[in-house]
Amino acid sequence: MSDRKRISESPNQRPFVLPDHLIVAVYLVALSLIYFPFVIYFARHLSFWYDELFTYYVASLPDVRTIWRSLLAGMDVHPPLDYILSHYSMLLFGHSELGARIPSIAAFYGSLLCVFFYARAAHSTLAGVIASSMLLGSSASRYAVEARGYSLVLFFASAALLLWRALSVDRKAPLWRWLTLGTCLAGAVWTHYYGVLIIAAFAIAGVVYWAERRRFPTKLFVTLVAVTTAVVPVVPFAIAAKSYSSHFWSVPPSNPIPAMHDSIGRLGYAGVELLLLFALCTLLLSRAPSMTWFVPQCGGPCELAKSEIALLIALQFAPVMQWLLARTVTNAYVWRYTIASIAAASVVGGLLLAQICARNSTLALAVCLVCILYAPDALFSLRYLRVSRQQRLATVAALDTHLQSSTTVLAAPHGNTYLVYYYYGSLRLKRNLVMFSD
């Protein structure tokens, strides 16, 4: 037997393995370098669309008191938190598209981090990489560069999910964690009225925790009572916003099938492609030799309590709860109102795929590379929103030529940006929004 073979079979010889904290650092740096340049570019160059103009004009009011009064008067349909954050953001970064969208950019990045660390704690770093990349490639990514509160709702839900993982297993958790959980739940409602469904999901998790541990979740109960009290002042804003229900809100579908699709299928058009890439990697590399230098073998099961599973399920199927609420009370249904479901779906997808990949580090390496290389394409899926300057100028010329006296036009000036919205006799015949600048 040769000396080389003896050395290779030596039981004391350990293969080189990259430290887990180094893998985390490399991924987070790569994620940041990919995320911020793209979203800042899009946030600067995309014109405001119809809904964003409401945010811009409300947030541009002189002070918070004026914003508060304008929303109570029905100037827009959401609670005040997002407008207040956008107000101060524009004071710091300028009254522009980028200035109004900074809160959404930061909130979506925070959501990526929360989803990453949750899946990492539940299974492995690989699960965190996959889960956060699925969120980045989902339909929710467009709201990273939209001056509305949906990214904030996603962040509050993701942060609350991460906090619940620690609080549900630590009976002696410090008070600040419970206060932070309560702040996240209240913040979700102060950003969007359907944030109450996130509170409902945590109430379901508390009931399961009670049944599982045979111990009443007193601290969670006190937190939910405090949150309920904290969101009572939102009620007058909801009453004012209800004046839009007859002509502005999207009515719910007649059956729950679209809501079921929104619960499981909103990983998005880009997200579906990402899943197909993962499946291809699995087929090609599942029998490849494992590279022990990349990551340690981690084929263990997911460490999830029953209350965590219940919370993930309740959040993922929040669109169904939204549909029920819309059919019975609010008459308003759009999947983005319960955008928190995408965070739960990304976590579940990351955990399932990580268990497939964990037995072979060659496959894990391929999946990580796909995640990092795919992120720019996921963000570039926003490119359909961008119109070239030549196309905008052509649109201006066409409008000047073909507008008729019977056409109603709403023109909202914002610097060099204008929004033109057509109503040809009926709201049911409204055309797509046309954005242009000169």
Side-chain angles (χ1 to χ4, degrees):
M1 184 180 296
S2 65
D3 293 340
R4 180 177 297 178
K5 190 171 183 179
R6 290 194 190 96
I7 293 175
S8 65
E9 293 178 352
S10 173
N12 296 325
Q13 185 182 9
R14 293 183 178 180
F16 172 72
V17 176
L18 289 177
D20 186 68
H21 66 272
L22 180 59
I23 298 174
V24 173
V26 169
Y27 176 70
L28 293 181
V29 169
L31 179 66
S32 302
L33 292 177
I34 290 170
Y35 176 79
F36 285 108
F38 281 100
V39 296
I40 291 174
Y41 173 82
F42 279 113
R44 290 184 61 187
H45 291 85
L46 288 176
S47 301
F48 284 134
W49 80 289
Y50 185 69
D51 284 9
E52 288 182 290
L53 286 172
F54 284 92
T55 300
Y56 176 79
Y57 288 115
V58 174
S60 297
L61 293 173
D63 51 44
V64 173
R65 179 178 296 180
T66 309
I67 293 173
W68 195 279
R69 290 176 177 174
S70 68
L71 292 173
L72 285 175
M75 192 171 180
D76 199 5
V77 296
H78 292 175
L81 181 58
D82 178 50
Y83 305 96
I84 294 172
L85 293 178
S86 297
H87 173 78
Y88 287 109
S89 175
M90 289 193 291
L91 289 179
L92 290 174
F93 301 101
H95 285 252
S96 63
E97 285 89 348
L98 178 61
R101 290 164 173 163
I102 288 292
S104 295
I105 293 173
F108 193 84
Y109 184 74
S111 303
L112 292 172
L113 295 182
C114 291
V115 166
F116 171 81
F117 284 108
Y118 182 93
R120 178 174 180 260
H123 187 268
S124 62
T125 299
L126 178 61
V129 170
I130 298 173
S132 56
S133 298
M134 291 179 72
L135 178 59
L136 185 62
S138 71
S139 299
S141 61
R142 62 169 296 184
Y143 298 104
V145 289
E146 183 171 307
R148 298 296 271 176
Y150 306 117
S151 286
L152 281 173
V153 174
L154 181 66
F155 168 71
F156 286 133
S158 302
L161 185 64
L162 181 61
L163 284 166
W164 178 246
R165 175 166 179 81
L167 292 171
S168 62
V169 298
D170 187 1
R171 296 183 60 184
K172 298 181 179 180
L175 179 62
W176 68 266
R177 288 188 179 177
W178 288 102
L179 291 174
T180 307
L181 175 64
T183 301
C184 290
L185 296 179
V189 181
W190 275 90
T191 305
H192 197 283
Y193 304 113
Y194 277 128
V196 297
L197 297 179
I198 300 175
I199 299 177
F202 273 85
I204 293 172
V207 172
V208 174
Y209 177 90
W210 187 7
E212 178 185 11
R213 304 294 178 88
R214 305 292 182 182
R215 185 172 60 247
F216 184 75
T218 306
K219 293 181 179 179
L220 177 62
F221 177 77
V222 172
T223 301
L224 293 180
V225 171
V227 169
T228 303
T229 305
V231 301
V232 169
V234 176
V235 174
F237 296 100
I239 295 173
K242 199 172 182 181
S243 62
Y244 287 83
S245 62
S246 62
H247 60 280
F248 188 75
W249 291 349
S250 299
V251 297
S254 58
N255 61 77
I257 295 177
M260 294 291 293
H261 170 264
D262 291 338
S263 299
I264 61 177
R266 279 293 177 178
L267 287 177
Y269 317 107
V272 172
E273 298 165 9
L274 185 59
L275 287 173
L276 292 176
L277 286 173
F278 285 149
L280 180 62
C281 288
T282 303
L283 290 174
L284 295 179
L285 300 175
S286 59
R287 298 184 178 276
S290 181
M291 295 182 293
T292 54
W293 56 268
F294 176 56
V295 290
Q297 304 299 319
C298 49
C302 295
E303 298 178 1
L304 290 176
K306 291 181 180 179
S307 61
E308 290 183 80
I309 297 174
L311 179 57
L312 287 171
I313 294 174
L315 284 176
Q316 185 164 350
F317 286 90
V320 178
M321 291 192 287
Q322 180 196 169
W323 178 82
L324 291 171
L325 191 61
R327 293 289 296 178
T328 55
V329 180
T330 63
N331 196 40
Y333 179 90
V334 180
W335 75 268
R336 61 178 177 267
Y337 295 167
T338 46
I339 195 173
S341 64
I342 298 184
S346 299
V347 168
V348 173
L351 295 176
L352 292 176
L353 285 169
Q355 290 192 83
I356 297 174
C357 300
R359 299 183 181 278
N360 189 299
S361 53
T362 304
L363 180 59
L365 175 61
V367 168
C368 289
L369 291 176
V370 167
C371 290
I372 294 172
L373 295 175
Y374 183 78
D377 183 70
L379 290 175
F380 266 127
S381 65
L382 297 168
R383 64 185 178 270
Y384 73 94
L385 295 173
R386 186 168 183 267
V387 184
S388 69
R389 178 176 176 80
Q390 290 75 18
Q391 289 173 314
R392 289 196 294 266
L393 294 176
T395 303
V396 174
L399 290 173
D400 289 340
T401 304
H402 296 97
L403 282 181
Q404 300 176 359
S405 58
S406 60
T407 303
T408 302
V409 177
L410 171 63
H414 164 233
N416 291 327
T417 303
Y418 297 84
L419 174 69
V420 177
Y421 201 51
Y422 292 95
Y423 292 86
Y424 288 107
S426 170
L427 287 171
R428 295 182 180 179
L429 299 177
K430 68 183 181 182
R431 297 179 56 182
N432 291 331
L433 300 178
V434 181
M435 303 180 196
F436 64 94
S437 60
D438 54 19

